Structure formats: structure tokens, C-alpha cells
Amino acid sequence: RVSAPKRMANPFSNDLTPVVQEDDINWTKLFSHPHHPLHIDVGCAKGRCIERLAARDERRNWNHLGLEIRSSVLSPAISRLHKSSNESD
């Protein structure tokens, strides 16, 4: 049985509008240590890869930023982030 190819999002589609504009980003509020190195995962999907990288000892002092244009795919990552931040409070 042959499976269907994965459906890819077209980044040039008119129905994909940025949620955040570059000028709206306050890096000091986003990261507690904005001067630390920044790891960017473009097309992070559900965020599992960047989540595992952030947990590594050698990457604990890094800032991590996942970028994804499909908000429906990103929802599980956002839920896990909220859950982990509530557990650390």
C-alpha cells in the first residue's frame, strides 16, 4: 500500500498571514537572557525536536525559538509549553 504524500503548506498563500510582526517582538520579554545564543527551528511542526534539544545539558543556556506557519500543527507544542510553565511555577 502506498501512502499519500504529506500535505505541505504553501508559504506564499494568501490565507497565511503573520501572527506577529517583527517590530512587535520584544526579545527581552521573550527570553530571560536575550544575550545568550539563539537556536531557531524553522518549520518546527509539533516542536518535539526543539523541545529535546532544549533539554540537553549543553543547550540549557541557549534560547530556543520554533517557527511554524501552520498553527493547527503547532497547537500541541503550545499546550505542552503552557503545561510545563505551570508546573515550574
Side-chain angles (χ1 to χ4, degrees):
R1 181 176 175 197
V2 178
S3 61
K6 289 185 179 181
R7 188 169 171 191
M8 305 300 283
N10 178 357
F12 301 108
S13 173
N14 288 334
D15 62 338
L16 293 173
T17 56
V19 175
V20 177
Q21 299 294 327
E22 182 180 356
D23 294 339
D24 296 336
I25 300 172
N26 182 333
W27 296 103
T28 307
K29 284 186 175 183
L30 188 60
F31 300 114
S32 55
H33 301 286
H35 59 282
H36 285 191
L38 176 62
H39 175 102
I40 301 173
D41 183 2
V42 177
C44 68
K46 296 178 183 175
R48 294 284 188 196
C49 181
I50 196 167
E51 191 175 26
R52 287 191 303 268
L53 282 172
R56 290 183 175 182
D57 285 338
E58 68 270 14
R59 296 286 176 129
R60 288 192 186 266
N61 290 327
W62 285 52
N63 294 309
H64 300 273
L65 178 64
L67 303 173
E68 179 57 59
I69 60 174
R70 298 170 294 163
S71 59
S72 61
V73 174
L74 197 55
S75 296
I78 294 169
S79 296
R80 284 193 316 279
L81 179 64
H82 286 289
K83 182 180 177 187
S84 67
S85 66
N86 288 337
E87 290 173 356
S88 64
D89 289 341

